[in-house]
Amino acid sequence: RTRRKKTKIKTEKIQKIRHLRSQLSAITSEIAKLSEQKDECIKFKGFLEKLTPQEWKDEKDNEKVERQLSRKRQWVQEQMAGHKADERAEIEAEERAMEEKAQENSRGRRRPKREAEEEGKEREREMEAMRRRIRKKYPTQETVETEYQGIDSGTERELYFKQPKQLLDVFTSLEGSNLFLIQNSQDTEQVLEEVQQKIEEMQSKYETTTKRMMENISKLEQQIESENRRRKELKEQLSEKKNSSEQEKLLTDMCNKVVEVHAACFKEKEQYPDTHKMLKAIEAKLEELLTYLDEVEETELGRKQVEELEKQYNKKRRDKQRRLKVEKEDRKKESKREDSLRRSQAPSHKKVGKQIMFRSPPLYQEKREVEEDDGFEDNCKDHRVFGIWIDNEGMPNAEKPQKLT
């Protein structure tokens, strides 16, 4: 029987333990579920806090600060009221004690009026000193304020969002601002791409210009070297000439031609001309004009203007050649006319004998050849006068120009 009883008790305990364990596992799962819900709520709360307008947050913070100051003022007032009450009670007790003591001293005897007045004044002074002593024992309002320890109420700030419509309004405004920012970013990216494209175009343009200028510099250096060699050769030839008059005449003609070119370039005439200085100035002017011409030709409008000026110059040159040709023909006709007049005025000689018969020439058809003006004569003239000439590409050359066939 005892064994059955123990077995029964053990079985009940095991069943109770199992029941408690099941309850513990249910509570643990409930705790985990609630913990997940709490974490999710905290996450959503943080999200809503981020969406809350800053003005509303500042307003609530100011209200909280006002509540803290109000609690501090109330606590200080309560403390000061208690100290004041204790101070008044102590002062009243001291005053009663001093009054009783004065009454005991004055009982049974009569004093003169003057002495009584002096004793009253002395008593008033003692009472005033007593009041000051008692007031010093109690703290002032500033001391009480420094003793105050701020205690937070522990209440969290309420949420800004009370209705779902508020959250929808915030989402709508954020969506509009996001669309605006996306559009601005797209516009900025487009502008940035255009700027980058312009920069690349300018870089390629500057690289091409630099390359061309370096080629021009190398060509000019070669031409300068060839001109220096030619100058040395001419100098040696001039030094070898025995006829000084011809040399002086050649130098004078060259100096006059340099003065003429210098006056044409700078629109002024040197009072005391120096050939070397004028040649340097002419060369610098040529470099300046060639550089300006290259800069102008880089633009479409400048290229058109240069082509138009070239056409005008070629037209003027052809007109000049045509006029010179007409003058030459006129001179030739005048010469023929004078020869004819001279023959007509000469005495006639009668021919005697049989005339000599010439063989008839074969029939042929005249062909008129039109010669295209390529500026060869002007280039030869420039080379003969200045020692250099400018080709169609605008580059100076020191070699003798060759006629194109």
Side-chain angles (χ1 to χ4, degrees), residues 2 19 37 83 92 102 126 146-147 152 192 209 213 260 263 299 304 308 317 340-341 346 367 389 393:
T2 306
H19 180 68
Q37 291 180 357
H83 291 322
E92 288 175 358
E126 290 178 359
T146 55
E147 293 176 356
D152 194 358
L192 182 61
T209 305
M213 292 182 70
E260 182 181 352
T299 60
K304 290 181 179 180
E308 187 67 25
R317 184 169 51 79
S340 177
L341 181 61
K367 294 181 181 180
W389 57 281
E393 296 179 357

Side-chain angles (χ1 to χ4, degrees), residues 345-383:
Q345 292 177 355
S348 60
H349 298 281
K350 190 175 181 181
K351 294 181 180 180
V352 293
K354 187 177 179 180
Q355 295 183 356
I356 300 173
M357 300 299 293
F358 296 95
R359 184 178 178 180
S360 299
L363 296 176
Y364 69 95
Q365 187 178 2
E366 290 186 356
K367 294 181 181 180
R368 185 172 64 178
E369 294 182 359
V370 180
E371 184 178 357
E372 184 179 356
D373 183 16
D374 55 355
F376 175 71
E377 295 180 358
D378 292 339
N379 294 335
C380 291
K381 182 179 178 182
D382 293 341
H383 185 268

Side-chain angles (χ1 to χ4, degrees), residues 9 29 45 53 62-63 97 108 156 185 202 217 242 275 290 305 312 359 383 388 391:
I9 292 171
S29 63
K45 181 182 177 182
N62 293 332
E63 291 178 359
E156 295 184 359
S185 64
M202 292 177 67
I217 289 171
K242 297 180 180 180
T275 307
L290 290 173
Q305 290 179 354
Q312 294 178 4
R359 184 178 178 180
H383 185 268
I388 60 172
D391 57 8

Side-chain angles (χ1 to χ4, degrees), residues 209-356:
T209 305
T210 305
K211 185 177 180 181
R212 187 174 63 184
M213 292 182 70
M214 293 300 293
E215 292 176 355
N216 292 340
I217 289 171
S218 61
K219 289 181 181 179
L220 289 172
E221 288 177 351
Q222 294 176 2
Q223 292 177 6
I224 289 170
E225 186 177 357
S226 63
E227 286 296 320
N228 288 330
R229 289 196 301 268
R230 186 168 178 272
R231 182 178 60 82
K232 290 180 181 179
E233 293 175 358
L234 291 174
K235 190 174 181 180
E236 291 176 357
Q237 291 178 4
L238 290 174
S239 62
E240 291 175 357
K241 286 186 179 180
K242 297 180 180 180
N243 194 354
S244 61
S245 61
E246 293 180 359
Q247 183 178 358
E248 291 177 359
K249 183 179 179 182
L250 179 61
L251 291 174
T252 304
D253 293 339
M254 291 178 66
C255 182
N256 293 333
K257 186 59 70 175
V258 169
V259 171
E260 182 181 352
V261 174
H262 184 273
C265 290
F266 297 95
K267 304 299 182 182
E268 61 183 4
K269 190 173 181 181
E270 292 286 339
Q271 187 175 1
Y272 302 103
D274 188 354
T275 307
H276 293 286
K277 291 183 179 179
M278 287 190 291
L279 285 173
K280 289 181 180 180
I282 291 168
E283 185 177 359
K285 187 68 175 179
L286 281 173
E287 291 291 337
E288 180 182 355
L289 293 175
L290 290 173
T291 305
Y292 176 72
L293 189 62
D294 291 338
E295 293 177 356
V296 170
E297 285 182 348
E298 290 178 358
T299 60
E300 186 68 23
L301 181 60
R303 195 181 307 108
K304 290 181 179 180
Q305 290 179 354
V306 171
E307 291 176 356
E308 187 67 25
L309 291 173
E310 287 180 352
K311 289 180 181 179
Q312 294 178 4
Y313 175 75
N314 291 329
K315 184 179 179 182
K316 289 181 180 179
R317 184 169 51 79
R318 287 193 297 269
D319 294 340
K320 183 179 179 181
Q321 289 181 353
R322 195 179 298 112
R323 188 174 62 254
L324 294 174
K325 187 175 180 181
V326 171
E327 292 177 357
K328 185 177 180 181
E329 291 179 354
D330 291 339
R331 287 196 299 270
K332 190 182 293 184
K333 290 179 181 179
E334 185 67 26
S335 177
K336 289 181 178 180
R337 193 180 300 112
E338 291 178 356
D339 293 341
S340 177
L341 181 61
R342 198 164 44 251
R343 284 195 303 271
S344 65
Q345 292 177 355
S348 60
H349 298 281
K350 190 175 181 181
K351 294 181 180 180
V352 293
K354 187 177 179 180
Q355 295 183 356
I356 300 173

